[in-house]
Amino acid sequence: MPCWYDGPLAAFDTETTGIDVERDRIVSAALVVQETPRSTPRTTRWLINPGVEIPEAATAVHGLTADHLALHGRWPAPVLEEVARALAAQSVAGRPLVVMNAPFDLTLLERELKRHRASSLNAYLGAHPLCVLDPRVLDKHLDRYRKGRRTLTDLCAHYEVELTDAHEAAADALAALRVVRALGHRFADRLEGLHPAELHTRQAVWHAAQARGLQAWFARTGSFEAVDPHWPLRPELPAAA
């Protein structure tokens, strides 16, 4: 039997109107499925017209304008239904889901499902919870003393993974999937004995520790920025009184 990093994997990514998971919207999403490192990836893309203004700063990142989305995008509700069902299908099939910086993409998806479907990701998953592999969390834990940034672009350079058309959802998803495969091979002595479900549980602990370390660093530098320790989903903020 091949190790999990040589077996079936899926990857999910989004492009958005900004970086606030509570207020921003998804404008594109992609799901990439690959059975083995040598098999051809199967890609599903979604384009959403969010019905809100697209900030220039967001367009500068992913290239999607309000005019383009109005012409080619679909309304959010049916797209989000398709996305949630597609992710649930990966869980039913037993494929781990690679999500770079999972608390961002999955929390934003969760908020969008509540906004447009009055539902949640767990409602679609049912008895088959996601098994998430987050290359950012894995890399920070397995190579914690390496200096430098750990964006997807940085990880691709470090693990010698080609990234073309960065900030296009399908390209980013495929690159993240390949980073996880490369990371698995590089740290095989520490990972091959762990089932992806066990890795999912451990990543929640590792991310919380990483968040505490970053929070302490912010405190030492006089920053008041808060770091959320939850992974892979951030809890919903309490409603204002």
Side-chain angles (χ1 to χ4, degrees), residues 46 48 83 85 95 117 124 168 178-179 213 215 236 238:
W46 295 273
I48 298 177
V83 170
R85 290 187 179 278
R95 292 190 194 93
R117 303 297 307 181
Y124 289 90
E168 191 275 325
R178 287 174 171 163
V179 165
Q215 191 73 75
E236 189 172 359

Side-chain angles (χ1 to χ4, degrees), residues 88-110:
Q90 304 314 307
S91 291
V92 171
R95 292 190 194 93
L97 184 70
V98 175
V99 189
M100 174 70 185
N101 192 17
F104 177 78
D105 291 82
L106 295 183
T107 303
L108 188 51
L109 174 60
E110 175 83 357

Side-chain angles (χ1 to χ4, degrees), residues 64-236:
L64 297 171
T65 65
D67 288 344
H68 181 83
L69 294 170
L71 184 62
H72 300 286
R74 297 163 56 203
W75 289 115
V79 177
L80 293 165
E81 172 87 7
E82 291 175 14
V83 170
R85 290 187 179 278
L87 297 191
Q90 304 314 307
S91 291
V92 171
R95 292 190 194 93
L97 184 70
V98 175
V99 189
M100 174 70 185
N101 192 17
F104 177 78
D105 291 82
L106 295 183
T107 303
L108 188 51
L109 174 60
E110 175 83 357
R111 303 300 188 262
E112 287 278 64
L113 286 169
K114 180 180 179 182
R115 184 178 291 122
H116 295 289
R117 303 297 307 181
S119 188
S120 68
L121 187 54
N122 280 337
Y124 289 90
L125 296 172
H128 301 276
L130 285 177
C131 178
V132 177
L133 299 172
D134 187 333
R136 185 169 182 268
V137 174
L138 290 169
D139 176 71
K140 287 181 73 173
H141 177 78
L142 295 166
D143 198 0
R144 68 181 69 185
Y145 299 114
R146 188 178 82 250
K147 295 182 178 179
R149 303 194 325 152
R150 301 185 194 237
T151 66
L152 180 59
T153 300
D154 298 316
L155 295 186
C156 285
H158 182 70
Y159 290 100
E160 300 180 343
V161 169
E162 182 180 6
L163 174 58
T164 58
D165 202 10
H167 298 296
E168 191 275 325
D172 285 357
L174 179 58
L177 187 153
R178 287 174 171 163
V179 165
V180 165
R181 292 200 190 279
L183 188 151
H185 280 278
R186 185 167 299 188
F187 297 99
D189 58 330
R190 299 166 64 183
L191 293 176
E192 63 184 356
L194 296 174
H195 188 274
E198 185 177 1
L199 263 180
H200 177 103
T201 301
R202 292 193 181 197
Q203 284 171 101
V205 177
W206 296 342
H207 179 270
Q210 293 162 9
R212 289 194 298 271
L214 183 57
Q215 191 73 75
W217 184 83
F218 281 151
R220 290 195 300 271
T221 58
S223 172
F224 295 100
E225 184 175 350
V227 183
D228 196 312
H230 298 89
W231 182 96
L233 271 173
R234 298 174 188 169
E236 189 172 359

Side-chain angles (χ1 to χ4, degrees), residues 23-67:
R23 296 181 177 83
D24 281 307
R25 311 297 177 90
I26 296 173
V27 294
S28 70
L31 177 68
V32 175
V33 178
Q34 188 185 42
E35 301 304 327
T36 72
R38 293 180 179 81
S39 62
T40 301
R42 305 189 302 274
T43 302
T44 304
R45 294 177 173 86
W46 295 273
L47 200 61
I48 298 177
N49 177 6
V52 301
E53 181 181 353
I54 312 299
E56 290 182 4
T59 296
V61 172
H62 50 59
L64 297 171
T65 65
D67 288 344

Side-chain angles (χ1 to χ4, degrees), residues 4-23:
W4 60 263
Y5 43 79
D6 284 330
L9 294 176
F12 177 68
D13 189 71
T14 66
E15 297 299 329
T16 67
T17 60
I19 60 173
D20 186 337
V21 296
E22 303 298 336
R23 296 181 177 83

